[in-house]
Amino acid sequence: MLGVTLAPPKPRGAVSYAKLLLRWRDAQRRANLDLARFGQALLALEEIQRDPRLPQLQRAAAKMTGLVPKFGDDLADHLDTAMTRGDSPDGKAALREALGTLAAYRRVLDAVPALADLEAVARRAVGGDLQFHSGLAAALSDLEAEVTARLR
Amino acid sequence: MSKSLSETGTQILRILGLPDRPGNEEVAEQERATKEVGYVPLTLGGYAKKQLMDHWETTPTLGIDPPGTDATQALNLDAARHYLRSMIKLCSPTRDGMETLATALQELAEATARVTQEIEQRDSQRADLQERLDTLVPVGDTPVPGATAAETKQLKDARGELAPRLPVATFVELHDLHLALGQLAVLQGGIVANVQHRLEGKKAVEDQMALIAVPQDADPHCLDPARARVAEALAANPLSDDDLNAAQFALGTLRNRRDEIEEMMAPLRQQRTLLRDQFETFAKSVQPAIKLLAVKKQEAPQQAIDDCQSLFAGALTADNMAAIAVAFRTTRAAIAASAGSNTGNRDFITAVRPYLIAEKQKLEAEYRALGPDSAIALADTKKGAGKQFAAIRAGIDKNSGAGTTDGLKALEDFRATVDHARKEKGEELVELLDRKNAIDGATPLTDPEGVDPWFAEHLAHGREALAHTLAGILARPMIDKATLQLAALTALWHTAERDAKNAALVQAARHRVAERFPGIHGAARPPAQKELDRADTAASACAALTGDKRDMAGALKLYRALEARLDAISKEPVLDQGAPLTDKLFQGVTGDGEIAKQVFNICGPALLGKLDASARKALCTVVSAAGPAIGTLVNEGLGGDPAILDALVTTSGADGLKALAVSFGSDPEARTALAALVEQGGLVTHPQVLPQLLHHDVVGPGDVEARRTANADTLKAMAKGFMDDPGALADLLDGAGLGATSAPPAPPVIVSLLYTGCARDATKLRGFADAFAGDDAESDRTLLKGLVESGGIGQHPESFGMLVEKVTDVSQVKSLGTAFADPADRARLQTLMNNGGLTGKTDTLAKVFVDGFAGDGRKMRQYAQAFDGHAAQSKMMLDAWNEPATDDERQPGAAIARLLGPNKLNGNITALQSRFTAEIGTVANATRRKQAIRFAPYFDRQTTDDSWKPKTPAMTALGIKTVTGSVRRRHTPECFDRTKMGGAVLHSQFPPGVDLGALIDDALTQIRTNGLALAGSHILDVGDPLAPIEIEIGFLDAQTVNHFTPRADRGLPNETPQFQTADIESILRAIR
């Protein structure tokens, strides 16, 4: 981008980092919650009640609640370091590591395609804004954008 | 409500990867059951179950045999499978039926697990046995260095027979192989012992060969060929019994050769002496004459004399003797030649004439001896000789230079004739004649002055026999016999001469004694009178001996002793009978003067003068109480012997004297028996014996008086026990050395023998004495005396009593003496007695000898030889075994026997030092080293498995099914398995022989009583409550104890050492 002068990074406070983390944790909680809700709604459907595979579907509903992967605390650790060290080289390094972690989270999420498939079936069967996959994917995109911006 | 499949449901099940058809769950279960042996679903429907059962029935394996399964195990597994199949056929597809099938499947699984475990154990045992086989018969050309080809073949064949069986052996076969290896160990041990025996035999032959010296004057190399044959036989490698026998045979040949040469040397020596005498006479005769010759003329005869002389310095061989004879002739010829060329030298002629005359006479005599009486025809020789002899005489008669020259020439001619005659009759005759003449000349014709008739008679017999022999045909055997007879006659003559001289001295002494005795005897104290009577009787009796028992030397000795005692007694100061207590001998003694008189009479001034005031006072006290009895004992029992009485009073004190007197007081027969022991039983020669026997253990706390009385009674029984043969005791005290006291001061060995060895039993003592009595046992007595004097027994007499007490037969005591006949071996034993721990406790020697070596003296000698120069190692070993507090726990002999057992040192006593103490000494810590010495004899290769401990109530109550074999393999020396040490640092051991099962039951009972969990581990005290062992018990699961170990290094008794890995390695090296 020749001829364009880059603006200096805006100073960010601790609160903004905390919001980023909250955004990610909310997305995970909602995905789990929506899956549980869908399970209950699914088993209440008449077609399901009539289905001779009801016991299997009951076990399936139970299984769904465990589908959201456990992402761990690496992202929180990196953001915590970035929050403490600010714009120092250590802070920058922590942000870069946060970016790497976000990429890894995305790969973990993509490894569970059942979440996106279930989300589609759920919207069709019971309706509503159920977010098993899309909420998590959107949160990851937002976080990547934020962190990238702070690195500039 | 009708059932139908929902689309949403199907999608969700598919998304989640779950079966989307009804019944899929049962199928999955069925599939699982067909894949997992032992999994039996109980919730399937009947059809599914039936299908599953059909599947099982047609499945070929139902579990595969574990790798390494042998035929028996495979049969067991097949049986389990067969049972399962039977159940499959019999059971209905109901819940009960499936449960039955589950049990059958479980049994199959357990059978398979069992087989797997057995295979592990079997492989472990195979490895152990393989290791043992490799140790016993290592792969290679010489499994036992020094073994013969046949022995090596035996070992290799045995290995060849066992080795292929090991890798494929079943449990049962392993047991057989274990036994076979035991037999192989015995075989290998025997071969090791054979090798050792042969090496010892080789050493013995070498030692004996070194003692065989070349006879004096013989060719130094004359024995070399015979010696080389011995060396050649011994050089065989490996050395076989045949080689050793050949060496011993060659040694015999060497001895024979030496004897032959020695025998050959005798006549040669005689011949040389004869020739030398002749030559020296000749040289002495003619050398003055040679000096009268012109200087130039002296050279030839003098050179001939010198040459001849130098030949005498050569080796004593037949060839040399012949050369000397030739040289002698040459010398004489040179003289004759010199005489011929000096007929004008009157002085020379005058000087030579005596020689000519003397030689003529000598040759004439010799010629006569050879000629007229000989059976050999000398007619031709006679004729020539007559002329020659006449020519000599004519030459002499002329008394002129020419006549002397002619005479000398004729003399040499005549000598040649005599030589010729000698050759015809054989030169031997000359030699024999010379010897006969010598014998004649040396025969003593008269008896020594004052000879005893017995000797005179025997001398006459000797002369007669000699004359008879010499009257026979002149031959070598006759002369040899006569030589021996002359030697015997001469020896007898000298003995008779000494005897006659001694008899004269005895006679004189008798006269003197006869004059002095009555006066001195009459004035003497009663014991002194008794003593003089005894001495007089003994001297008279000895002087009265006749015939071959006549002993004038002994009689003279006794008379001299009697005279000395007469002198001493005559000089004894006399007690003031009116005021005895004022005598300085009774200074400080108050009371009855009559008692003082009695004490004086009994003891005499010499003994009283040696005692201090308190001792004299004590004597007065006991004499006051038992004066008559003491007097009777001293006079009758002790025969008034002052030395014994002195020793009694100074060693046993007045109380001892009294106790002895009281014991013998009422028994005249016992006093007579004691008197016999004094006279003939050696008590006089060893005056300390009786007092030491009386004083035994009469010190220290307790009822001393009772012990003293008991001792006195024992001595009374002993005296009576030897009444019929008091000499048997003398044989022990003198012949076997048991009456001597050794330095540092120790009581005579007889004390320990009586009180410990024979447990105070006089009959046993007599039995022991009989075994060493008489002429037949003289050698045994001498050998035992050797042990006492230089084998350490004298310095440690208590050890001997213990040994006699422990042996099963007196022959074992004799075997010890026989084995230590060599002074060098006795010195070794003495060193071990002093510094090698053999007397660490008084019973150590006895236990080592009897328990360790089965009472075999030869093995004890091997032990002494093995530890020669290593006394400290012997002490280290024996002290460790002697450390326990009680006699029962201290078993050094049993420990040695265990170490020498077939699984360990295989009877190799030398290895006790070279391997055992050398290796065990490497244990760094002193305490653990002693523990290692104590535990090593118990380390064994007993096999064990998880079924070693039978079910007990303690186990059943807790539901314990198994106590694993690893407990024993890790913590008991008997079953210790080095391969199970793993990486553990400590290897704590239970005491050998402990009832491990009982300890475990004790622990389990405590666990149950205290409600402890059957998991993890617990620390408890088990065993004897007074000496508990702290253990740690652990569980593999609620049914299995797999850990049971002593926790601390508990000391003696029942010690539980915590060995380190290096300690264990040292122990195992030390014993294998």
Side-chain angles (χ1 to χ4, degrees), chain B residues 751-773:
Chain B
V751 177
S752 163
L753 174 63
L754 173 62
Y755 288 107
T756 306
C758 301
R760 292 178 170 268
D761 186 337
T763 311
K764 285 186 184 170
L765 179 66
R766 177 62 195 270
F768 185 88
D770 284 347
F772 284 89

Side-chain angles (χ1 to χ4, degrees), chain A residues 26-81:
Chain A
D26 281 347
Q28 291 176 76
R29 191 167 58 246
R30 174 152 184 196
N32 280 318
L33 194 62
D34 283 0
L35 279 166
R37 282 180 185 153
F38 171 60
Q40 289 173 352
L42 177 73
L43 295 174
L45 292 174
E46 189 178 344
E47 60 173 318
I48 297 301
Q49 288 292 318
R50 284 204 307 270
D51 194 316
R53 298 170 302 184
L54 181 59
Q56 291 161 259
L57 288 165
Q58 286 170 334
R59 283 196 287 277
K63 188 177 177 181
M64 282 191 297
T65 57
L67 283 178
V68 176
K70 302 286 185 283
F71 292 97
D73 295 329
D74 286 357
L75 181 64
D77 291 342
H78 297 319
L79 291 181
D80 194 42
T81 304

Side-chain angles (χ1 to χ4, degrees), chain B residues 7-21:
Chain B
E7 179 60 26
T8 303
T10 301
Q11 286 177 352
I12 285 174
L13 287 170
R14 284 179 179 167
I15 288 170
L16 294 175
L18 297 171
D20 62 350
R21 286 179 302 172

